[in-house]
Amino acid sequence: MSDLPPCPQCGSTLTYEDAAMLVCPECAHEWSPSAEDAEKKESGVVDANGTLLADGDTITVIKDLKVKGSSHVVKVGTKVKNIRLVGGDHDIDCRIDGIGAMKLKSEFVKKA
C-alpha cells in the first residue's frame, strides 16, 4: 500500500510520484509534496485533547511508550519541554531526559 496522500482536488487514492511532483491519474492534477507538508503544518498539530500545539511548548506523555531498539520506557506523566513540530507520522521532535532525542506522535501527549 502506498504512503502517498490522496489527490487534494478529487480525492483519488491512485496518486503517484513523477520526479518531484505528485500526480493524480484521474483528474490530472499535479502538486508538490512540500506544499502538502506546508498545508498540514498550517492546519496545526493537536494533542490528544484537541489542543493546538506550537513549537517550544511543554507537553506531558499520557501513555507508557516503549523506545524502539532499547529497554527504555517513557513513563506516563513525563514532561517534555521545548518541542519542535515536524511533518510526517511522528509529528513532534523532542529531547527526553535520560533517553535522548525522540520523535513522538501527538496523539500520545497533552499540552502542559
Side-chain angles (χ1 to χ4, degrees):
M1 195 120 208
S2 175
D3 294 3
L4 298 176
C7 175
Q9 197 164 30
C10 72
S12 171
T13 59
L14 301 175
T15 57
Y16 64 92
E17 288 180 296
D18 184 25
M21 300 292 283
L22 295 175
V23 181
C24 175
E26 292 184 2
C27 69
H29 178 64
E30 294 183 7
W31 72 100
S32 73
S34 59
E36 184 78 17
D37 290 340
E39 285 176 20
K40 197 179 270 187
K41 184 118 179 180
E42 280 179 16
S43 67
V45 176
V46 294
D47 67 2
N49 297 330
T51 306
L52 192 63
L53 297 173
D55 288 342
D57 281 348
T58 299
I59 57 173
T60 304
V61 178
I62 62 168
K63 178 182 176 184
D64 281 347
L65 302 172
K66 295 178 183 177
V67 179
K68 211 176 221 182
S70 76
S71 61
H72 293 288
V73 175
V74 179
K75 296 285 188 179
V76 171
T78 302
K79 285 200 174 207
V80 182
K81 298 177 184 177
N82 200 18
I83 64 169
R84 188 172 64 109
L85 302 179
V86 294
D89 188 31
H90 292 75
D91 42 17
I92 299 173
D93 263 347
C94 61
R95 181 168 299 280
I96 299 176
D97 293 337
I99 296 174
M102 286 197 63
K103 291 186 176 229
L104 299 173
K105 290 186 176 185
S106 59
E107 63 204 54
F108 299 121
V109 301
K110 67 178 181 177
K111 191 170 183 176

